[in-house]
Amino acid sequence: MTELDATRAYYDTVAEEYATRVPGLFAEDVTGRAMLGAFAEEVRADGGLPVADVGCGPGHVTAHLDGLGLGVHGVDASPRMVDVARRRHPGLRFEAGTMDALGLPDGGLGGIVAWWSILHTAPELLPSLFVEFRRVLAPGGRLLLGFHAGNGEPYTGQPRPEGVAYAIHLLSPDHVGQQLEEAGFTVTARLTAAGDRWPQVCLLARAGT
């Protein structure tokens, strides 16, 4: 089983309880929502091209971006999560898919949000992921990343009774910033906040022309 397969299986298993728990945590995340607000303002100022919320989970961030006036759709590798998102937010579009192959035309998006989703990607695979993000973004398009900070070390959570477990990677903000620059982005803002277990980092970047 690949890491992607394991992640998909885990979120398929926990989709319903995750959808019940996480939106409440998001409502308490004042600093994170401030970064999402800055992202939305910049996308609107650039003409308001569509936005993708990749690794959207149950769709709470997608719905928040919609409320900020963006045309947005969600993408998630877990079909069960997509089902939950569609049920909870019937007016929005959600699709099953992976971040490394979005299946979107070149340069069609004004923004991408990956809100605590790139941390399921091994650090050595992030450069190709960021190249894919750059491909689908219009020149000047915005990218907002949220992740747990560390030095690249993996963490595996407790397995479920069904036998599936998730793995995350604690990512170095400096290293992620360097990888973004190599993929054609300029980091324009960085926020670090205390987390329950690890520091939380948001990076806002702009695609080159």
Side-chain angles (χ1 to χ4, degrees), residues 8-206:
R8 181 186 292 114
Y10 175 79
Y11 283 106
D12 276 346
T13 301
V14 303
E16 295 292 345
E17 62 188 83
Y18 188 91
T20 299
R21 178 175 58 89
V22 171
L25 298 176
F26 177 70
E28 298 173 359
D29 184 9
V30 176
T31 54
R33 285 186 284 109
M35 289 293 284
L36 287 163
F39 166 86
E41 186 172 338
E42 291 186 357
V43 172
R44 291 197 307 267
D46 285 344
L49 287 174
V51 167
D53 176 16
V54 298
C56 65
H60 56 291
V61 174
T62 317
H64 184 73
L65 294 170
D66 175 70
L68 294 176
L70 299 180
V72 57
H73 76 280
V75 179
D76 201 276
S78 163
R80 287 290 300 279
M81 279 291 191
V82 171
D83 289 343
V84 170
R86 287 171 176 167
R87 187 173 69 248
R88 286 178 168 250
H89 308 286
L92 299 177
R93 178 166 64 95
F94 297 94
E95 300 175 348
T98 60
M99 294 187 292
D100 60 346
L102 290 169
L104 297 170
D106 294 357
L109 294 182
I112 292 174
V113 170
W115 202 245
W116 269 262
S117 53
I118 66 165
L119 48 73
H120 293 299
T121 300
E124 64 270 17
L125 300 180
L126 287 176
S128 61
L129 193 68
F130 296 153
V131 167
E132 173 69 353
F133 289 173
R134 178 62 190 87
R135 181 188 70 79
V136 300
L137 281 170
R142 273 21 186 222
L143 171 65
L144 179 60
L145 305 176
F147 54 92
H148 296 305
N151 294 309
E153 62 269 30
Y155 172 84
T156 301
Q158 292 296 320
R160 299 279 298 180
E162 299 85 351
V164 295
Y166 66 90
I168 66 171
H169 299 272
L170 308 179
L171 303 173
S172 161
D174 290 339
H175 192 46
V176 171
Q178 179 181 348
Q179 291 173 323
L180 287 172
E181 292 182 4
E182 292 171 355
F185 291 93
T186 299
V187 176
T188 58
R190 172 171 161 176
L191 180 148
T192 303
D196 292 338
R197 183 175 295 178
W198 307 290
Q200 298 180 344
V201 175
C202 297
L203 292 181
L204 183 60
R206 186 176 187 272

